[in-house]
Amino acid sequence: QTKPTQVLPEDFPTVDVLIPTYNEPIDLVKETAIGAVNMVYPQQKLKIYICDDGATDDRFNSHDKEISKLAKTRRTELKKICQELGITYLTRPANIKAKAGNLTSALESTNGDLVVVLDADHIPSQDFLARTVGYFEDRDLCLVQTPHHFINLDPIHRNLELPDHCPCEIGRAH
């Protein structure tokens, strides 16, 4: 299917947006959260969660004072952002199974019809949900992966130290 089915606003599914984070800068996570909040979608059908693995209970209560201090500062700052934006802050007891564990833990606290996962540095366009939820009218469909554009070098490009004239996945903004 190349185009999504048109869905009337009253029939829109509920959507939970998960933003998993571990050690990304707070400002970066905030920009993604702001982008998620600004998506055009009925607010009563949209719940956004910052899923913070950088301030798990283990890190928060660590015997290493530096780890504990960083986790406490991180948790405080992210909770403040969540409160300002009207979204939910989640963390968990320990960072077990990395991002997959973070998402699994978050899913235990959510109940949306659909789940969107945004990496901490993936800011959605305002029309992202309007352009994608219609695909799920096809009950055989379980996943939609959309293109994303990088402002900076993508990880493969960066890690391989490829030259600028070598194209990355989608392209870079200049």
Side-chain angles (χ1 to χ4, degrees), residues 26-84:
I26 299 292
D27 289 345
L28 182 83
V29 178
K30 182 177 182 178
E31 290 295 320
T32 299
I34 289 169
V37 166
N38 285 309
M39 288 187 293
V40 176
Y41 205 76
Q43 292 304 302
Q44 69 278 13
K45 293 189 174 199
L46 180 63
K47 292 183 183 174
I48 302 165
Y49 301 83
I50 289 180
C51 310
D52 183 21
D53 250 8
T56 58
D57 295 343
D58 278 357
R59 296 178 66 75
F60 192 87
N61 299 314
S62 175
H63 295 297
D64 182 319
K65 291 182 191 288
E66 186 63 25
I67 290 173
S68 178
K69 179 182 175 186
L70 290 171
K72 289 175 181 177
T73 300
R74 182 176 185 81
R75 188 181 287 190
T76 298
E77 291 178 10
L78 286 175
K79 279 185 169 185
K80 181 180 177 195
I81 289 167
C82 288
Q83 185 176 10
E84 290 170 0

Side-chain angles (χ1 to χ4, degrees), residues 117-128:
V117 178
L118 299 173
D119 278 348
D121 62 346
H122 287 173
I123 301 170
S125 62
Q126 285 187 306
D127 64 347
F128 174 76

Side-chain angles (χ1 to χ4, degrees), residues 21-171:
T21 179
Y22 178 66
N23 63 355
E24 296 84 3
I26 299 292
D27 289 345
L28 182 83
V29 178
K30 182 177 182 178
E31 290 295 320
T32 299
I34 289 169
V37 166
N38 285 309
M39 288 187 293
V40 176
Y41 205 76
Q43 292 304 302
Q44 69 278 13
K45 293 189 174 199
L46 180 63
K47 292 183 183 174
I48 302 165
Y49 301 83
I50 289 180
C51 310
D52 183 21
D53 250 8
T56 58
D57 295 343
D58 278 357
R59 296 178 66 75
F60 192 87
N61 299 314
S62 175
H63 295 297
D64 182 319
K65 291 182 191 288
E66 186 63 25
I67 290 173
S68 178
K69 179 182 175 186
L70 290 171
K72 289 175 181 177
T73 300
R74 182 176 185 81
R75 188 181 287 190
T76 298
E77 291 178 10
L78 286 175
K79 279 185 169 185
K80 181 180 177 195
I81 289 167
C82 288
Q83 185 176 10
E84 290 170 0
L85 297 176
I87 63 180
T88 302
Y89 174 85
L90 298 174
T91 192
R92 58 190 178 132
N95 181 306
I96 299 169
K97 298 184 181 176
K99 187 186 286 187
N102 192 0
L103 292 171
T104 298
S105 177
L107 289 170
E108 293 172 1
S109 300
T110 64
N111 62 1
D113 298 323
L114 300 176
V115 174
V116 171
V117 178
L118 299 173
D119 278 348
D121 62 346
H122 287 173
I123 301 170
S125 62
Q126 285 187 306
D127 64 347
F128 174 76
L129 291 174
R131 294 179 65 189
T132 57
V133 297
Y135 286 109
F136 292 97
E137 290 296 299
D138 177 348
R139 296 296 178 197
D140 292 331
L141 185 71
C142 68
L143 175 76
V144 171
Q145 181 172 345
T146 62
H148 52 277
H149 306 275
F150 298 98
I151 292 172
N152 52 3
L153 296 177
D154 71 88
I156 295 170
H157 200 116
R158 182 181 60 243
N159 291 340
L160 294 176
E161 298 178 359
L162 297 173
D164 285 342
H165 68 274
C166 183
C168 63
E169 179 184 352
I170 299 295

Side-chain angles (χ1 to χ4, degrees), residues 4-25:
T5 302
Q6 285 290 97
V7 181
L8 297 172
E10 60 269 16
D11 296 328
F12 282 174
T14 57
V15 177
D16 290 331
V17 177
L18 306 180
I19 305 170
T21 179
Y22 178 66
N23 63 355
E24 296 84 3

